[in-house]
Amino acid sequence: MAIIAAPQAKSLPTPSERFGGEANGEVASFRKHVIPLLGVRGCNGRECHGSFSGKGDFQLSLFGYEFDKDHEEIVRDEDEIRVNRDQPENSLILMKPTMQEKHKGKLRFEKDSWEYRLLLSWIKGGAKNDSKLTPEFERLEIVPPSLRFTESGQTQRLQAIVHWKDGSIEDVTELTRFRSNDESIATVNEIGIATATGSGDTHIIAFYDNGIQPVPIYRPVSDKLGDAYPEVAATSEVDQLIVAKLRTLGIVPSEKCTDEEFLRRVSLDLTGSLPLPGEIRSFVASKSPVKRSRKIDELLKRPAYAAWWTTKLCDYTGNNAQNLNDPVFRNDMARQWYEWIYHRVKTNVPYDQIAEGLIMATSRQKGESFQHFATGMSHHYKKEDPVPFHTRESMPFYWARRNVRKPEEKALSFAHAFLGVRIQCAQCHKHPFDQWTQQDFKKFQAFFEPIQYKANTPRGEKGSGMNYQSLMKEIEQFVGYDKKKKNNRKQLREEIRKRANAGKPVPWQELHIVNTKPRSKGGKNKKKQNYSRRVITPSVLGGENVHLTEYDDPRQPLMDWLRSGDNPYFAPAFVNRVWHNHFGRGIVDPVDDMNLANPPSNKPLLDHLAKGFAQSGYDMQWLHRTILNSDTYQRSWRPNDTNRHDERNFSRMTIRRLPAEVVADAITQATASKSRVDAMTATSKGRTIGPDTLSRNNKNISSLNYALSVFGKPDRTANCDCERSNEPTLLQAIFTRNDPAMNLLLDGRNRKSKGWIQEINEWYSGKTKSTAQAAKSRQHKVLVGQRKKLMAKAPKKPANKQNARAMQRYRISAKRHTQALQELNQKIRNLNGGEPKQPANTRRPITARELDRLINETFLRTLSRFPTGTELAKARVDVGGSTDKIAGVKDLLWALLNTKEFLANH
C-alpha cells in the first residue's frame, strides 16, 4: 500500500539531502548530527558501545547525551586511528560501520551513503565538539501529531522537526529513533514510517537529542463511528472524557453493573472489606435513585476506609518494621507510623499535608534540649497513659529506614513515593525514556545530603548535660555491656525498653539537618522560583538552581515545588494510584513509571482529575467521590463485541484479583461468626488490612501470615509498586483448597470467637440460647455469684464453745445464713425448672425454608450476591441430599471460597 504523506509536513531538507551529495560543502554538527546518527544506527545502545564496559575498547555514553565524554572517546587516539584528520576516509569511525574493516557490529551503513558522507564532512571540518556552541534544545515536533488508520497494512510517514532556542528548525526524521509501545497495533521503522498492524490505540515514541515525543495512534475496532455511534450517557466530566476517546475508536462501553456488583466492588475498593449480608439485602431492596452515592459517603466514614487507605499509603512510603533503624522499638515505630497516617486519613487531612508531615518531619523542636526531647519521645511508649504518636505534627520515621541512609537512596525513595517516577537509570546515564541526565540526578540528590537520621549530639551539648552518648554510656554501664564483646545485648535492649515504658529518657536517634546555613536577611525578597518548566530547580530533575543557603531546611524548596501549580508529578501520581486501585490499571501504566515515553492512555482525563484534586485542596475523599460516582466506575465487567479486548480505555470494569490483605480478611469475614463480623466492621484491630500485619509475631493474625505471603503482600523494601503482586499462582489455589489455616477458619476453631459453621451447628443443636434463654442465663449467673459470696461469708463457730453468749450469736447467724442460702438455691431451681433438656448430640431438623436461608447466607457471605435460580437448585440438591445438612453448608462455603468470583473484584 502506498505511504500516506502527512498533510501538515513541512518542506525542509532532510539530512540525506543535505549531506548525500558529493559537492555539498556543509559541515555536520557533532551534537545535532553525529551523535544522533550514532544513536539511530545503534552504536551507542546498551548492546554495543553504549554498554557499561563498551565494546572493543570503545565506549560511548548510553544514548549519547554526554557530548564531551563521547567526543573525547571518539578522537582520543594519539595516532588518529578512530578519527584521522589527515586522511579522513581512513578513519575507523567510517571503516568499521561500512565493513571496510572487520566489525562485530556488522554493517551499519554503506560507503558513500549519506550517513557516510555526514561523518566524513564532520571529520574534514576538524572533528570539532560544538556542543557548547550550538543553541539549546527547545522541543521536538512530530508531524502529524497523531495518526489515524482504518485498516491493517496502511502506512504513514512521520516527520520529526527539532526546534532550537535560537529559532532555527531542522528536519531530523532520519536522525530520530522511533519505537512503538505496542507492535500488535502499529509498528514503525527507522525512517519514521508507521504501519497499522491491528485495531486499538497505542503510542509511537520519537527520541532526538533531549526530546522525547509520544505520537498517539488510533485504529477503530468497529464501524460504530460518527453518526453510527450510539447515544451513551456521560453524566460527569470524567465520563465525557472517557466516552470522547471511545467514540474515536468505535468502542461502546458496557452497561451499568447491578446493585450487588456495585456494592461489592465499591466496598472492596474503598474499605478492603466485603459488604455484610444484611447490608446487601437492604441496599438491593432500596428504591432510592441516589443510594449509590449515599453508600459511597457512608463507606468513607467507616474505620475500614481509613485502615485500608492507610495501608496503601504505607505501601507507597515504605513502612516496614524490619527496615526501621531501631532494633528495640522498630515494631512500635511501624505501628506509630501507621496510626499517624490513619488518624489523618480518618479525619480527611489533605494529601499534601500528609506528604508534608513525612517530608518535612522533625524530631526535636528548635532549641529543645536532648533531655526534653528524649523524655517526650519516651512518653509515647509508656505502659500507662502513653501519649498518642499521631498527636505529633510530623512523622520522622519515613527517614529512619535502613534503605534510605545514603542521599541517592533518599532521592530514589522520594521520587517513587511522591512523584510516581523511576529515576534509577539516571544514576549512571541519561534516562532512556525521559529528559533526566546523570547530572540532573546528582543535582536532585543534593537536596537529600543534609538529611540524616542517627544519634545526634550538637556541639553545644558535648560535655554538658544529657546527650545521646552520655545516656547510652550510662545504660551500658548499668547492664555491664561491652561494645567489643557485644555481651549482654539483650539486657541492654530490655533496659532501654523498660525505661521508655516508664516514661524515662532513653538514647533516641533523631532526624536532623546538617550543613545548612540560616536564611539571609534578604531572603524574603528573593526572586520567586520559576515553576513553569516540566522539571524545576537545579536538583529536581534538571531545572533551575536553588541556593540552599537561602533556606533553613533544604526540604522546603522540594515541598514548595510539589505544591506548585505546574508540578507535573505530585497530584497526577496520587490520582493515578487511586485510579489504579479502583480500576486495576492506571491511566499511566505501570502506575509508578510516569515518564515521557510512557504517556497516559487518556491525557485529558489525567489532567482533569489532577487539576481538580489540587484545586480541591488535595482532598482525598473528593477524589474518591469523583471517580466512584462516575458511570465509568459503575460499568459492568461483562463485555460487548466492541470492548471485549479493550484493556486501557476503561470501557468496562476489569476483573482483578483481590490484594493479599483483602483476600485474607475476606476469608476471615466469610467464615466468622456474626459477632466477629460486626467487630471487623467497627474496628481495624485484628484485621489484615490494619496495622497488625506490620509485625511478624502478631498473634491476632499469625495464622494468616502465610496467606499474606502467598497472595503477594509487599515487603516495602523496594522503590516499586510492583512489589505487590496480584497475579494468581498455584500456591494460592493450594492454600484455599486444603491449607490447615483454611480448614481451621472453616471449622471456627482458631479464634476466641467461634466461626459461622460452628455457630449455626450450635443453634440447630439447641446449644445456642434464645433471647429469653440468654436473659435467664444472665440472671442465673448473677444468682450463682450471690450464692458464692454468701457461702464465703458463712459464720464461723467461736473458738471457745464454753462461751454461751458467743454460741448463741453464732446459732442465730447460722440460721439466717442457711435461710438466705436456701432461698437463693430455690430461685436458681425455679430459674432452671420447666426447660426441656436437649438430648446429647442431636439436632432438630432443618426445614426447606431454613435451608434456602442458609444457602442464601453462604452466597452473600462469599460472593456478595444471591444465588441464581440454577445455583439455588443445585445447592438444594447438594446440601439437602447430605445426611448432615450443616456439613453440607460447610462444603458449599468451601466451594464458594475456591471460586474465581470470590477471589476477584469485578
Side-chain angles (χ1 to χ4, degrees):
M1 182 173 288
I3 298 172
I4 302 174
Q8 307 97 323
K10 298 180 181 180
S11 180
L12 294 169
T14 64
S16 59
E17 293 170 344
R18 293 168 62 184
F19 300 102
E22 292 187 16
N24 194 320
E26 184 175 0
V27 176
S29 163
F30 180 71
R31 175 180 180 175
K32 294 181 178 181
H33 308 125
V34 174
I35 290 298
L37 176 62
L38 297 179
V40 297
R41 293 296 173 261
C43 303
N44 56 19
R46 56 170 56 94
E47 302 298 329
C48 198
H49 299 290
S51 67
F52 183 75
S53 57
K55 295 286 184 181
D57 196 32
F58 179 31
Q59 183 186 18
L60 297 171
S61 64
L62 187 62
F63 309 115
Y65 195 72
E66 297 181 47
F67 302 116
D68 293 340
K69 176 184 175 182
D70 287 346
H71 184 268
E72 181 181 350
E73 184 72 11
I74 292 171
V75 302
R76 68 180 165 88
D77 294 305
E78 294 181 0
D79 53 358
E80 294 191 333
I81 294 177
R82 193 163 289 136
V83 171
N84 191 330
R85 293 180 176 86
D86 295 331
Q87 295 178 311
E89 290 83 356
N90 293 332
S91 301
L92 282 182
I93 198 172
L94 291 173
M95 303 282 283
K96 288 268 189 178
T98 57
M99 292 300 291
Q100 297 178 72
E101 288 277 345
K102 187 177 180 180
H103 184 218
K104 289 185 178 180
K106 304 295 178 63
L107 182 70
R108 300 285 95 183
F109 47 81
E110 300 284 351
K111 184 181 179 182
D112 292 328
S113 63
W114 69 267
E115 298 98 326
Y116 178 91
R117 294 185 181 279
L118 184 152
L119 290 175
L120 183 62
S121 73
W122 174 67
I123 298 171
K124 287 181 176 180
K128 297 176 181 178
N129 178 6
D130 61 354
S131 59
K132 292 183 174 60
L133 302 176
T134 54
E136 287 187 47
F137 174 87
E138 185 175 83
R139 64 186 176 93
L140 181 65
E141 176 189 6
I142 304 299
V143 179
S146 63
L147 296 180
R148 298 175 187 273
F149 294 115
T150 57
E151 57 185 84
S152 292
Q154 191 174 5
T155 61
Q156 188 161 338
R157 186 187 300 276
L158 295 170
Q159 182 186 28
I161 300 170
V162 61
H163 292 251
W164 303 101
K165 283 203 171 178
D166 64 353
S168 61
I169 62 174
E170 295 182 54
D171 184 324
V172 291
T173 308
E174 296 165 331
L175 299 175
T176 298
R177 291 183 293 119
F178 294 96
R179 187 199 74 185
S180 172
N181 280 357
D182 189 345
E183 293 193 345
S184 69
I185 294 172
T187 60
V188 62
N189 66 12
E190 62 184 20
I191 60 173
I193 296 177
T195 303
T197 56
S199 58
D201 67 301
T202 186
H203 286 85
I204 286 175
I205 314 298
F207 303 85
Y208 174 82
D209 196 85
N210 202 28
I212 301 174
Q213 187 60 43
V215 181
I217 309 295
Y218 305 98
R219 183 186 161 199
V221 303
S222 75
D223 58 359
K224 297 183 183 301
L225 303 170
D227 294 338
Y229 193 81
E231 286 292 327
V232 176
T235 57
S236 69
E237 182 73 16
V238 169
D239 299 315
Q240 292 168 16
L241 293 170
I242 292 285
V243 172
K245 185 178 179 187
L246 296 179
R247 190 182 296 274
T248 66
L249 291 168
I251 297 176
V252 179
S254 295
E255 299 295 326
K256 271 196 171 185
C257 63
T258 65
D259 284 342
E260 291 168 317
E261 288 173 336
F262 169 79
L263 182 58
R264 176 184 169 92
R265 180 188 302 169
V266 75
S267 297
L268 289 168
D269 286 339
L270 262 191
T271 68
S273 311
L274 292 171
L276 304 182
E279 183 182 6
I280 300 168
R281 290 187 178 96
S282 60
F283 187 78
V284 171
S286 173
K287 302 300 181 183
S288 171
V290 294
K291 64 180 180 180
R292 294 193 178 191
S293 61
R294 285 179 177 172
K295 178 56 68 175
I296 293 168
D297 290 340
E298 177 191 332
L299 292 172
L300 287 170
K301 296 175 183 177
R302 290 188 183 177
Y305 159 72
W308 177 232
W309 279 92
T310 297
T311 295
K312 300 288 286 184
L313 288 171
C314 286
D315 281 353
Y316 307 147
T317 54
N319 182 5
N320 175 2
Q322 303 306 312
N323 205 24
L324 288 168
N325 193 26
D326 191 319
V328 181
F329 298 103
R330 60 190 179 190
N331 287 331
D332 307 81
M333 291 165 67
R335 179 174 284 271
Q336 289 166 344
W337 184 341
Y338 179 96
E339 291 174 349
W340 186 89
I341 296 179
Y342 176 87
H343 178 77
R344 282 151 181 79
V345 174
K346 182 180 178 182
T347 55
N348 201 30
V349 171
Y351 173 67
D352 67 320
Q353 293 183 25
I354 295 176
E356 183 178 29
L358 295 166
I359 297 167
M360 299 292 297
T362 58
S363 291
R364 278 202 236 185
Q365 298 300 317
K366 191 173 183 180
E368 185 179 20
S369 68
F370 181 82
Q371 182 173 1
H372 189 271
F373 157 70
T375 304
M377 280 293 292
S378 293
H379 283 178
H380 296 300
Y381 296 82
K382 288 172 64 177
K383 281 288 186 181
E384 297 181 2
D385 299 323
V387 177
F389 205 90
H390 67 72
T391 57
R392 294 177 66 95
E393 292 185 3
S394 64
M395 168 46 63
F397 302 153
Y398 171 75
W399 301 105
R401 294 170 293 156
R402 288 183 291 182
N403 62 341
V404 294
R405 289 174 176 174
K406 300 177 181 179
E408 59 269 29
E409 294 171 341
K410 293 180 175 71
L412 293 173
S413 174
F414 179 92
H416 167 258
F418 302 109
L419 307 179
V421 300
R422 304 174 185 175
I423 59 172
Q424 291 89 329
C425 293
Q427 281 184 276
C428 303
H429 52 75
K430 182 186 179 299
H431 197 287
F433 305 128
D434 216 304
Q435 296 177 334
W436 314 314
T437 65
Q438 187 180 22
Q439 185 64 20
D440 291 329
F441 183 87
K442 290 178 179 178
K443 290 182 177 180
F444 182 52
Q445 173 185 312
F447 273 119
F448 304 94
E449 290 174 355
I451 304 171
Q452 297 184 7
Y453 193 99
K454 62 180 184 179
N456 178 37
T457 304
R459 290 183 180 179
E461 290 182 353
K462 290 182 179 179
S464 62
M466 181 186 292
N467 56 47
Y468 180 93
Q469 281 78 9
S470 65
L471 186 54
M472 179 62 81
K473 185 176 181 180
E474 184 267 316
I475 299 176
E476 288 174 349
Q477 291 174 349
F478 180 81
V479 299
Y481 177 74
D482 189 324
K483 287 185 178 180
K484 293 182 179 180
K485 296 181 180 179
K486 294 185 178 179
N487 64 327
N488 295 343
R489 176 180 290 180
K490 182 178 179 182
Q491 290 87 338
L492 175 65
R493 293 178 177 178
E494 288 176 348
E495 179 62 23
I496 290 174
R497 174 169 285 280
K498 180 180 177 181
R499 294 190 183 196
N501 290 158
K504 298 178 181 179
V506 298
W508 294 101
Q509 297 184 47
E510 58 182 299
L511 174 64
H512 61 105
I513 308 299
V514 297
N515 297 331
T516 57
K517 298 179 181 179
R519 190 189 300 260
S520 62
K521 293 182 179 180
K524 293 183 179 180
N525 299 320
K526 68 180 186 294
K527 181 181 176 182
K528 184 179 179 181
Q529 291 295 328
N530 177 14
Y531 296 116
S532 61
R533 296 189 182 185
R534 185 168 181 275
V535 286
I536 65 104
T537 72
S539 324
V540 187
L541 309 179
E544 294 182 351
N545 291 330
V546 168
H547 301 289
L548 296 185
T549 54
E550 297 179 356
Y551 294 88
D552 292 330
D553 191 321
R555 298 170 296 176
Q556 188 59 55
L558 278 175
M559 199 64 228
D560 293 344
W561 175 57
L562 292 184
R563 284 193 171 118
S564 67
D566 295 316
N567 185 288
Y569 306 114
F570 183 58
F574 187 73
V575 166
N576 195 45
R577 279 173 164 144
V578 172
W579 187 276
H580 175 270
N581 179 82
H582 294 329
F583 288 89
R585 181 186 178 93
I587 304 172
V588 174
D589 198 78
V591 71
D592 60 343
D593 195 15
M594 301 181 72
N595 62 68
L596 291 172
N598 185 33
S601 60
N602 193 322
K603 189 176 186 302
L605 173 65
L606 183 60
D607 291 346
H608 165 71
L609 287 172
K611 182 179 179 181
F613 181 49
Q615 290 178 343
S616 73
Y618 299 95
D619 185 334
M620 293 186 288
Q621 292 191 9
W622 174 90
L623 182 59
H624 288 302
R625 286 191 183 96
T626 300
I627 295 174
L628 302 179
N629 278 304
S630 68
D631 294 334
T632 302
Y633 177 78
Q634 297 181 25
R635 298 207 179 281
S636 171
W637 60 270
R638 296 173 179 82
N640 55 48
D641 292 337
T642 67
N643 70 358
R644 190 172 304 279
H645 302 293
D646 177 36
E647 295 181 351
R648 54 185 265 121
N649 294 299
F650 315 108
S651 60
R652 58 182 170 85
M653 182 53 68
T654 303
I655 298 175
R656 47 214 154 91
R657 209 216 68 203
L658 300 178
E661 300 92 332
V662 179
V663 170
D665 260 1
I667 293 173
T668 302
Q669 187 175 333
T671 58
S673 65
K674 185 179 183 304
S675 59
R676 169 68 174 136
V677 172
D678 291 342
M680 290 177 70
T681 306
T683 178
S684 60
K685 184 178 180 181
R687 298 197 57 179
T688 52
I689 65 167
D692 289 336
T693 57
L694 293 168
S695 173
R696 294 178 179 176
N697 302 319
N698 194 299
K699 295 180 180 179
N700 290 329
I701 59 157
S702 57
S703 63
L704 293 170
N705 279 332
Y706 176 67
L708 294 173
S709 174
V710 166
F711 283 95
K713 180 182 179 294
D715 290 332
R716 298 174 181 166
T717 57
N719 295 313
C720 185
D721 285 29
C722 59
E723 259 200 315
R724 177 178 290 281
S725 172
N726 289 341
E727 295 299 318
T729 66
L730 179 61
L731 284 177
Q732 295 167 11
I734 294 173
F735 175 85
T736 55
R737 277 163 173 75
N738 60 9
D739 191 87
M742 188 75 175
N743 295 331
L744 287 174
L745 286 167
L746 280 166
D747 294 336
R749 291 184 281 108
N750 75 321
R751 57 170 77 87
K752 294 179 180 179
S753 60
K754 53 182 171 284
W756 181 57
I757 294 297
Q758 187 179 355
E759 189 175 54
I760 60 176
N761 185 48
E762 290 181 358
W763 174 265
Y764 287 102
S765 299
K767 296 178 182 178
T768 303
K769 299 178 176 63
S770 65
T771 304
Q773 288 173 328
K776 281 187 176 182
S777 178
R778 289 191 295 271
Q779 190 176 356
H780 180 273
K781 188 175 182 180
V782 170
L783 292 173
V784 170
Q786 290 176 355
R787 183 173 62 181
K788 187 176 181 180
K789 290 180 180 179
L790 186 62
M791 291 176 69
K793 295 180 180 179
K796 296 181 180 180
K797 288 185 178 180
N800 184 6
K801 294 182 180 180
Q802 302 303 320
N803 188 333
R805 180 174 292 182
M807 287 297 295
Q808 180 66 21
R809 286 198 299 268
Y810 163 72
R811 291 188 189 97
I812 295 172
S813 298
K815 184 176 180 181
R816 290 175 179 172
H817 180 267
T818 302
Q819 289 176 343
L821 189 60
Q822 290 174 346
E823 290 175 2
L824 269 176
N825 285 333
Q826 185 60 44
K827 287 181 180 180
I828 293 173
R829 285 194 294 272
N830 292 340
L831 196 64
N832 293 333
E835 291 186 8
K837 293 185 178 181
Q838 185 77 17
N841 299 320
T842 60
R843 187 185 297 135
R844 70 175 179 81
I846 299 176
T847 66
R849 186 174 181 180
E850 289 173 329
L851 184 63
D852 283 356
R853 189 182 301 124
L854 287 173
I855 292 171
N856 285 337
E857 183 76 8
T858 308
F859 271 81
L860 291 173
R861 278 176 164 262
T862 54
L863 308 186
S864 309
R865 63 172 176 84
F866 288 97
T868 63
T870 303
E871 290 169 335
L872 181 59
K874 288 182 177 180
R876 283 170 177 166
V877 172
D878 291 339
V879 178
S882 175
T883 54
D884 186 339
K885 301 293 188 296
I886 304 302
V889 173
K890 177 184 172 182
D891 290 342
L892 175 63
L893 177 61
W894 176 88
L896 293 179
L897 288 173
N898 278 280
T899 60
K900 293 180 180 178
E901 186 176 352
F902 172 75
L903 293 173
N905 192 354
H906 43 77

